[in-house]
Amino acid sequence: MEIFWFIVLMTMLGIYVILDGYDFGAGIVHLFFAKTEEEKKAVTNAIGPFWDANEVWLIAAGGVLFFAFPTLYASAFSGFYLPLMFVLWLLIFRAIGLELRGQVHNSIWEAIWDKAFGIASLLLALFFGAALGNVVRGVNLGMVENGVSTQESHYFFLQLWNPTLDPLAEVHGVIDWFTLLLGIVAVVTLTIHGANWVILKTSSELNQRLKKIIFRLNFVLLILVIASACLWNYVRPFPLTNFQTHYWLWIFPIIGAIGLFGLFRINKFKKDSTGFLFSSLFIFGSFATTVASMFPILLPSTNSVNPSLTVQNAAAHEYGLSVGLGWFAVAAILVILYFVIQFRVFKGKMDDMGYGEH
């Protein structure tokens, strides 16, 4: 039963990254590449009807984490307390940046909330990428010092950074050179993804420029992916052990590679949806590859005193997991129905949406 809930949790997180990821990317496009008022409106129109619904997947994933893996929930929400507070405030500023911009028609007012929306989107992409880096690297469970556990075996706390920025140091920080690298990978990935969404949902003059930007950024992304894959082996030796025993898992990195290399043909796509499809494939394949490589570990321990948190030792009691299955089925039907209606109502181009105008 815990395997089922693990798949549900990872599926929700994967959907969240793909859906809210294009919102973050659109915010980065808005910050750096949308120059005129028409181009800025095109970006906000593209995500206006969707961004708040997409965030529901993060809340739902948090609920499943609390219900199905309470030990992991308690450990992560205390250990990652500082970055979680940053993420909370960034989500707030991104939302109010979108909602408040059009309340007053003044250039200074609009510029302030444009920056709030764009910078919050950029930092959210960076923080979520760094969060994945922290999970891949592992944490000092039990706060072990000199071979002695000073706290409960599942407890840890991370400062924002350590003086050396070394991911292999005994005292970890949320930010080190490895987590920062994955944060940059996330920023570049979601910028491409968001640009593809803007192209898909608008007919803006910005679109042709975005295709050129996507093509150039894809070279940067390729270099970053190769570098992060090599350094991943340094930080966590033998990361692909599961792939050596379960060959079918190679489908995930293959999907990621198809998405990455497919984006090099962005200028030749006849349908606007093709670019978004390829960036979604890259995000899905990369995320699934990371999850598959770590399974059954949910949060690695960097010391030999306390064990890593796994699908088995972090799960709730079997009875509770079974009872939740019925409620999950009802919720899943309602969510699927909601998103089907939403995408049918807001299908096609969104140029005339006028989101945020008052």
Side-chain angles (χ1 to χ4, degrees):
M1 186 59 71
E2 62 268 17
I3 302 297
F4 168 79
W5 285 108
F6 169 77
I7 294 173
V8 169
L9 177 61
M10 293 302 115
T11 300
M12 285 183 169
L13 289 174
I15 292 173
Y16 172 72
V17 173
I18 291 174
L19 294 185
D20 214 22
Y22 72 66
D23 294 330
F24 299 159
I28 299 171
V29 169
H30 189 279
L31 179 64
F32 291 113
F33 306 121
K35 304 300 183 182
T36 66
E37 186 67 17
E38 289 72 22
E39 291 175 349
K40 291 177 181 179
K41 286 183 178 180
V43 174
T44 54
N45 286 344
I47 65 172
F50 306 102
W51 70 266
D52 47 355
N54 293 338
E55 289 186 350
V56 171
W57 287 102
L58 181 62
I59 299 171
V64 170
L65 179 63
F66 174 77
F67 158 73
F69 301 100
T71 303
L72 176 63
Y73 177 90
S75 177
F77 273 68
S78 60
F80 294 125
Y81 181 80
L82 289 177
L84 284 172
M85 290 301 102
F86 276 105
V87 166
L88 176 61
W89 280 104
L90 289 170
L91 287 171
I92 291 172
F93 270 94
R94 186 174 71 109
I96 63 177
L98 279 168
E99 296 296 334
L100 294 183
R101 183 192 193 273
Q103 297 291 333
V104 178
H105 295 290
N106 177 276
S107 59
I108 296 177
W109 174 270
E110 292 173 347
I112 290 173
W113 295 116
D114 282 345
K115 290 293 185 291
F117 168 56
I119 293 173
S121 299
L122 173 67
L123 292 178
L124 279 167
L126 185 67
F127 265 91
F128 279 122
L132 180 62
N134 276 269
V135 173
V136 169
R137 179 205 62 204
V139 296
N140 185 12
L141 289 176
M143 304 291 285
V144 172
E145 297 178 7
N146 300 319
V148 179
S149 184
T150 61
Q151 304 289 337
E152 293 180 83
S153 61
H154 63 271
Y155 178 84
F156 72 97
F157 182 80
L158 291 183
Q159 57 194 27
L160 283 180
W161 61 79
N162 63 39
T164 63
L165 295 179
D166 183 5
L168 301 181
E170 184 177 44
V171 179
H172 295 125
V174 174
I175 299 173
D176 56 47
W177 58 258
F178 178 70
T179 61
L180 187 60
L181 173 63
L182 291 194
I184 295 172
V185 171
V187 169
V188 176
T189 299
L190 297 185
T191 302
I192 292 172
H193 194 49
N196 277 319
W197 180 258
V198 173
I199 292 171
L200 171 63
K201 299 302 289 182
T202 73
S203 301
S204 170
E205 295 179 359
L206 175 63
N207 291 358
Q208 289 303 315
R209 194 161 78 251
L210 286 180
K211 289 182 180 181
K212 297 177 181 178
I213 292 169
I214 290 170
F215 182 76
R216 294 168 185 168
L217 283 179
N218 217 44
F219 282 102
V220 177
L221 182 58
L222 177 60
I223 294 171
L224 289 172
V225 167
I226 294 173
S228 59
C230 295
L231 293 172
W232 182 14
N233 190 71
Y234 169 75
V235 173
R236 301 293 297 179
F238 310 110
L240 300 180
T241 301
N242 286 344
F243 292 79
Q244 297 174 2
T245 53
H246 303 284
Y247 294 110
W248 62 271
L249 293 177
W250 284 101
I251 188 66
F252 297 130
I254 290 174
I255 290 174
I258 290 173
L260 178 61
F261 287 103
L263 286 170
F264 282 113
R265 295 178 54 83
I266 184 68
N267 291 311
K268 298 182 180 180
F269 295 151
K270 295 182 179 179
K271 294 183 178 180
D272 290 339
S273 59
T274 308
F276 184 74
L277 173 63
F278 277 114
S279 59
S280 298
L281 286 176
F282 173 71
I283 292 172
F284 168 77
S286 302
F287 182 73
T289 298
T290 305
V291 171
S293 68
M294 294 181 61
F295 183 84
I297 295 174
L298 297 171
L299 186 61
S301 175
T302 58
N303 62 69
S304 58
V305 177
N306 296 308
S308 301
L309 294 179
T310 67
V311 173
Q312 289 76 26
N313 66 21
H317 191 273
E318 185 77 14
Y319 174 75
L321 296 179
S322 301
V323 170
L325 190 60
W327 292 104
F328 169 75
V330 174
I333 292 172
L334 292 175
V335 168
I336 292 172
L337 182 62
Y338 172 81
F339 273 89
V340 168
I341 294 173
Q342 182 192 39
F343 279 92
R344 284 179 64 88
V345 170
F346 296 107
K347 66 179 180 180
K349 302 292 185 178
M350 309 297 294
D351 298 280
D352 299 324
M353 173 58 58
Y355 182 82
E357 295 181 0
H358 297 279

